[in-house]
Amino acid sequence: MTDGLPRYPDYDVLRKRNTVSWNDPTRTAIDRRLAVDRDPHTLTEGEFATLQAICDRVVPQEQGPDLVPIAAYVDQELTLDLSLGYRYAGLPPAKEAWHRAIAALDAESVKAFDAPFVAVDAARRDTLLTRMQKGELKDPAWGDMAPDLFFKQHVLVDIVAAYYAHPTAWSRIGYGGPASPRGYVRMGFGMRDPWEAAEAHPGEEAKAARKNRNV
Amino acid sequence: MSDKILTNREPLRSGLDLEAMHRPRARNGRAPDPHVPGGWFPMREHREDEAVDFAIVGTGAGGGVLAARLAEMGFSVVAFDAGPYFRPLEDFASDETAQSQLFWTDRRVTDGENPLKLGSNNSGKAVGGSTVHYAMVALRQRPESFRSRTKQGFGADWPVDWREMWHYYAEAEEALKISGPISYPWGPSRPRYPYRQHDLNAAALTLAKGAEKLGIKWTETPLATLSAPRGKSPPCVYRGFCRVGCSTNAKQSMLVTFIPRAIKAGAEVRDLAMVGRIETDKQGLATGLHYHRDGAWRFQRARNVVVAGYAIETPRLLLNSASDRHRHGLANSSGLVGKYLMTQSNVAVWGEMDEEVRWNKGPPSLAITEHWNYDDSKDFFGGYIHMSQGPLPVEWASVHTGARGLWGKALQDEMAKYNHMVGLKMVGEMMPQERNTVTLADEEDQYGLKVARVTYSWCDNDKAMIEHSLDFMGRQLEASGARNVWRQPDDTNHLAGTARMGDNRRTSVVDTNCRSWDVPNLFVCDGSVFPTTGGVNPSLTIQALALRTADRIQALARRGEL
Ligand SMILES: Cc1cc2nc3c(=O)[nH]c(=O)nc-3n(C[C@H](O)[C@H](O)[C@H](O)COP(=O)(O)OP(=O)(O)OC[C@H]3O[C@@H](n4cnc5c(N)ncnc54)[C@H](O)[C@@H]3O)c2cc1C
Ligand code: SF4
């Protein structure tokens, strides 16, 4: 715990799947989420690779079996043409916005670093994304779409919401996850229900891990 | 309006391909019993070609209450809702993303200097309306709020006496078995709440501690979720998913309270029924409405029409119902339909505690202070409440991205502190301004109807109130022991205005009976009639006003004035 951040060793929210904390609709919803199709349906292979490269910087993940296929969720949302319920007047509909932004980002990358976004290193990707966030990108490929608005409304919304909707993310932050029909009982300071993640206080990692294997 | 067959949007995001979202359930003489998986109530049905006494558009806080009361008074009633008819026990997942099925996510465009975020934080689409996913905070407006112009020097007066409103507040609280404190610390005395208050979670204890340090009063929040069993509803189990729907039915939404009452009293509810246009005759009277159900446009005849679609859909429907006689939209001779849109400021401060808080447990706002609604030593008009908080992870991440622009490792490190976070969030009165509007955009939705364009800009008073609250809440949070306190200065939530009530037909859309000045058999019964929005969450006021409107309609009928 060198950075002082809470840790929940061995906590996996999916261990609760067959307990009274999950009802049938929840099991259906999460099972389908975990079974997401990992191939793109709306974006081309090339666009999808660029999107993955963006996701890697917005929510860096360690390689491994728990990796959240964020780009697949974003593509799925575009395929289903789901809307948040509003759109800023300065943005085209989501699908068109993503197509355009990916093309523009590649153009910017070629202009600045002589290579498409997927081919530049992490530091350069961060530079480009930061400039997008600040509205400093000006390539004509953006058209009338403001890069900073796109960053705020899509990069930060679509990607981040997809990640934090995933059990892997919940386990990492020690969130209890689904809770129906059983909710919680112990609500005061420092109180933990036995079906919640146990935080590893210094020197007690093994104890917390044991609790976490039995949520 | 187009005739193309429409497919219902949504399902797969939720990963729940719910039958309720594709096929109407309330039909063939029965409607879903929300308390019983697979259960049904018998339901009276009405013919389309025979005029019903009341056709009601929307079944939320306003429409749901009115449908029940009018049916109980013996009127024939059909209530339409564009959304599905859920049985929470079998339909609701315990998951933020899946439950986006509850939100109104049809196309809308927002602009202005401070464009509103719509959807999850203010617009429901279901039988029961936004109350299916509201946070259940059930408050009364301060008496002076109904006379803001005369008593406080801003906005407009309500054409309603506060004592009458307080009478109906008590009736609404009783009907919903609000759980709250025995004695409420602010305002004129009120009866004790029907059910006892809920326990406080650590997030609420933090509010209490900070309030006591600063010497202001606080209390347990009056909530529309049960603290003891009621009929087929169990007490709240402190799941904390209230804002994405209550899967246990502890929440006393319209879906589990007034809708069953309405059906029992003989009202018909039509789910997945989107009303596209109100029809008027040569005399300018409403004759019924066009609605879309089962892939086709249909027409229901009615002697009276009530619009209860909330502050965006209500003006949109009125504007979309323009005719030769009503060129600028129905009920719009004042030109005020769609104007004076109000939201409430929902800014917050957040901080970290050394101890574990686990703020997702319990309803999100278990403790409250109305201090700044009742203290008049302020340098701005209006007032606000503030409450403890408990956002779920997707929403919490959106605060970091939206208010702070965080991403990458910075975002993940902040999110890792989830179980140690606390916050205070205000619900604040924003000023009614004519320039904040709902108009029609040059764009169509999936039904072929013109979509709403929502334009919003804050005024100086709004900004002063926000600054005041951020400063005060920040001091309070620090006083409670929180570290690294930071501000979320941009959030808004509830809606109101756009069909304001008043005493003068030139400066309002509906009269004190919530009846249109222009079209005497057209009523509005939802948050759009608010002339000012007050410093408290709106639903209890909408419900109280709907109870009052029902009594007013009955009185009009008895006098032969309907
Ligand atoms: C997340 C969230 C939390 C909230 N928390 C609180 C809280 O704690 N306390 C509080 O007081 N308030 C809260 N609110 C606000 C409260 O829910 C609303 O103010 C209230 O429900 C509005 O009532 P209404 O009758 O005006 O509209 P709604 O309840 O929104 O009902 C309108 C209904 O009309 C239907 N409709 C609209 N147009 C049409 C059409 N053309 N044809 C057919 N049907 C149509 C919609 O589908 C909807 O079901 C919250 C809202 C949200 C979204
Ligand atoms: S906390 Fe209570 S009211 Fe909220 S969703 Fe859970 S059971 Fe329902």
Side-chain angles (χ1 to χ4, degrees):
Chain A
M1 228 177 55
T2 48
D3 52 7
L5 294 172
R7 295 271 190 281
Y8 305 89
D10 257 6
Y11 174 61
D12 181 356
V13 71
L14 290 175
R15 283 208 179 90
K16 294 201 255 184
R17 183 183 181 282
N18 296 324
T19 71
V20 282
S21 280
W22 290 45
N23 63 6
D24 284 338
T26 305
R27 281 187 272 268
T28 306
I30 307 299
D31 289 356
R32 291 197 187 166
R33 190 165 308 148
L34 294 174
V36 65
D37 189 346
R38 303 199 171 212
D39 296 322
H41 292 269
T42 292
L43 301 179
T44 64
E45 293 289 341
E47 288 172 327
F48 194 63
T50 307
L51 173 60
Q52 280 173 320
I54 300 171
C55 294
D56 284 346
R57 300 315 306 154
V58 174
V59 187
Q61 302 188 70
E62 281 158 35
Q63 292 302 318
D66 287 345
L67 195 81
V68 181
I70 304 177
Y73 293 112
V74 175
D75 180 79
Q76 184 185 50
E77 296 260 316
L78 298 178
T79 306
L80 295 168
D81 205 9
L82 298 178
S83 108
L84 285 174
Y86 67 101
R87 196 184 82 231
Y88 283 95
L91 286 175
K95 237 188 265 191
E96 193 194 326
W98 271 107
H99 284 308
R100 209 193 287 178
I102 288 171
L105 191 60
D106 265 334
E108 300 280 3
S109 186
V110 168
K111 201 157 57 185
F113 305 118
D114 264 343
F117 190 75
V118 285
V120 301
D121 63 15
R124 289 179 165 182
R125 288 179 188 171
D126 284 356
T127 303
L128 288 167
L129 290 172
T130 303
R131 290 176 59 202
M132 190 197 301
Q133 181 171 28
K134 291 186 178 158
E136 291 168 5
L137 300 181
K138 302 271 186 272
D139 193 273
W142 290 101
D144 56 2
M145 181 169 86
D148 48 343
L149 193 58
F150 177 82
F151 192 85
K152 185 167 184 182
Q153 291 304 312
H154 286 286
V155 174
L156 289 187
V157 172
D158 303 353
I159 293 175
V160 173
Y163 178 71
Y164 283 103
H166 198 281
T168 296
W170 301 340
S171 299
R172 220 174 131 151
I173 65 172
Y175 167 59
S180 184
R182 176 177 60 184
Y184 298 103
V185 179
R186 297 160 186 84
M187 300 211 295
F189 274 108
M191 290 169 89
R192 167 186 171 266
D193 279 322
W195 52 95
E196 285 185 272
E199 185 178 328
H201 298 293
E204 298 186 353
E205 287 79 5
K207 204 165 125 197
R210 197 160 53 245
K211 287 183 184 166
N212 284 331
R213 285 192 294 273
N214 290 289
V215 287
Chain B
M1 292 185 311
S2 76
D3 286 316
K4 63 180 180 258
I5 307 274
L6 300 158
T7 50
N8 246 299
R9 34 139 230 143
E10 205 72 18
L12 276 173
R13 165 194 279 170
S14 56
L16 285 173
D17 207 359
L18 288 178
E19 171 237 335
M21 309 199 60
H22 299 292
R23 263 185 305 280
R25 279 175 162 175
R27 62 189 341 165
N28 302 328
R30 61 184 200 173
D33 178 348
H35 279 106
V36 181
W40 299 97
F41 296 123
M43 182 178 75
R44 186 173 157 203
E45 285 180 291
H46 296 84
R47 295 170 55 110
E48 289 178 327
D49 56 3
E50 276 174 19
V52 288
D53 292 330
F54 287 90
I56 302 179
V57 186
T59 60
V65 169
L66 192 70
R69 292 298 297 130
L70 291 179
E72 286 166 355
M73 289 167 179
F75 294 107
S76 60
V77 173
V78 180
F80 298 79
D81 207 290
Y85 197 141
F86 291 117
R87 293 188 192 95
L89 293 176
E90 65 183 22
D91 292 333
F92 284 4
S94 192
D95 179 75
E96 269 181 287
T97 308
Q99 291 299 113
S100 59
Q101 59 184 335
L102 300 184
F103 305 145
W104 186 289
T105 52
D106 292 2
R107 194 177 279 206
R108 286 168 172 171
V109 180
T110 65
D111 62 8
E113 286 161 30
N114 307 90
L116 298 183
K117 287 187 202 154
L118 303 170
S120 64
N121 65 341
N122 49 25
S123 311
K125 185 182 194 181
V127 171
S130 305
T131 69
V132 176
H133 67 142
Y134 82 148
M136 315 171 299
V137 175
L139 302 176
R140 300 181 177 198
Q141 286 193 20
R142 174 184 175 177
E144 290 80 357
S145 283
F146 297 100
R147 284 282 182 279
S148 301
R149 168 63 42 208
T150 327
K151 301 251 181 205
Q152 299 178 303
F154 72 91
D157 287 347
W158 292 53
V160 182
D161 187 81
W162 74 271
R163 286 173 219 89
E164 204 188 342
M165 284 304 290
W166 277 49
H167 162 80
Y168 287 107
Y169 277 139
E171 200 177 316
E173 286 162 354
E174 187 54 38
L176 301 173
K177 296 288 184 228
I178 301 297
S179 305
I182 289 176
S183 62
Y184 195 74
W186 303 277
S189 69
R190 59 180 74 176
R192 66 163 60 180
Y193 283 95
Y195 277 26
R196 289 298 174 86
Q197 73 267 31
H198 288 277
D199 194 13
L200 299 180
N201 62 7
L205 290 166
T206 304
L207 177 141
K209 190 170 163 196
E212 283 169 11
K213 280 260 166 73
L214 296 190
I216 64 165
K217 291 183 226 163
W218 66 275
T219 191
E220 295 90 355
T221 311
L223 290 174
T225 183
L226 300 171
S227 59
R230 177 194 195 189
K232 288 190 239 166
S233 284
C236 174
V237 293
Y238 304 133
R239 307 167 47 240
F241 281 83
C242 323
R243 272 180 298 184
V244 289
C246 178
S247 59
T248 67
N249 285 332
K251 176 194 283 193
Q252 298 298 285
S253 68
M254 296 301 96
L255 176 62
V256 303
T257 56
F258 279 92
I259 297 297
R261 260 175 78 172
I263 290 171
K264 192 177 276 177
E268 178 183 349
V269 172
R270 294 195 194 142
D271 53 338
L272 298 182
M274 173 71 183
V275 177
R277 184 183 163 80
I278 297 164
E279 196 58 58
T280 41
D281 62 15
K282 286 203 189 70
Q283 284 73 48
L285 286 173
T287 56
L289 43 80
H290 299 272
Y291 70 104
H292 192 278
R293 199 184 196 203
D294 276 330
W297 285 103
R298 318 180 62 92
F299 185 71
Q300 173 68 51
R301 296 186 49 195
R303 276 184 277 277
N304 299 277
V305 171
V306 183
V307 189
Y310 208 13
I312 296 177
E313 293 308 314
T314 286
R316 176 183 174 217
L317 177 59
L318 294 174
L319 295 174
N320 268 327
S321 300
S323 64
D324 281 349
R325 206 188 146 103
H326 304 279
R327 279 174 195 281
H328 303 289
L330 212 50
N332 198 19
S333 67
S334 64
L336 293 179
V337 168
K339 296 205 174 138
Y340 292 107
L341 172 67
M342 290 167 281
T343 185
Q344 289 183 310
S345 172
N346 202 210
V347 302
V349 296
W350 309 97
E352 300 157 29
M353 301 296 268
D354 289 330
E355 293 162 281
E356 289 169 33
V357 177
R358 300 179 188 266
W359 61 357
N360 59 296
K361 293 192 278 190
S365 298
L366 284 161
I368 182 173
T369 171
E370 275 210 55
H371 179 80
W372 291 111
N373 267 334
Y374 286 88
D375 184 314
D376 288 326
S377 65
K378 294 171 293 211
D379 57 356
F380 58 90
F381 289 131
Y384 64 89
I385 59 161
H386 56 286
M387 300 189 289
S388 55
Q389 293 299 300
L392 300 180
V394 173
E395 187 190 350
W396 181 230
S398 80
V399 174
H400 289 294
T401 58
R404 312 171 94 187
L406 294 187
W407 50 281
K409 185 164 183 315
L411 171 65
Q412 286 168 304
D413 286 354
E414 283 301 314
M415 289 299 292
K417 301 174 187 166
Y418 184 75
N419 285 338
H420 287 262
M421 298 303 299
V422 287
L424 296 173
K425 198 163 226 232
M426 65 116 85
V427 170
E429 173 160 25
M430 298 187 92
M431 291 295 111
Q433 299 180 66
E434 195 169 352
R435 64 172 176 159
N436 289 335
T437 57
V438 174
T439 51
L440 297 178
D442 213 7
E443 215 175 291
E444 290 180 354
D445 69 0
Q446 73 270 37
Y447 306 99
L449 299 167
K450 285 247 160 72
V451 310
R453 171 184 291 273
V454 180
T455 306
Y456 213 92
S457 304
W458 300 353
C459 65
D460 288 343
N461 192 80
D462 298 339
K463 293 175 191 167
M465 173 186 67
I466 287 169
E467 191 50 38
H468 183 280
S469 75
L470 288 170
D471 175 63
F472 186 83
M473 293 190 298
R475 282 194 283 133
Q476 182 175 339
L477 204 59
E478 275 165 1
S480 69
R483 287 180 289 112
N484 296 338
V485 172
W486 53 276
R487 294 172 164 203
Q488 178 194 4
D490 61 350
D491 210 14
T492 59
N493 57 2
H494 315 121
L495 305 168
T498 68
R500 53 164 41 186
M501 66 194 300
D503 281 328
N504 184 329
R505 60 179 306 144
R506 284 196 312 273
T507 54
S508 59
V509 177
V510 296
D511 66 13
T512 180
N513 299 321
C514 292
R515 165 153 62 178
S516 153
W517 290 109
D518 303 345
V519 186
N521 65 343
L522 178 73
F523 294 79
V524 179
C525 184
D526 62 18
S528 13
V529 302
F530 286 25
T532 54
T533 177
V536 300
N537 316 44
S539 68
L540 196 72
T541 305
I542 298 171
Q543 288 154 344
L545 209 51
L547 290 169
R548 176 181 179 273
T549 303
D551 285 352
R552 294 268 164 156
I553 285 174
Q554 189 178 43
L556 289 173
R558 287 193 175 138
R559 294 201 300 266
E561 292 171 19
L562 208 53

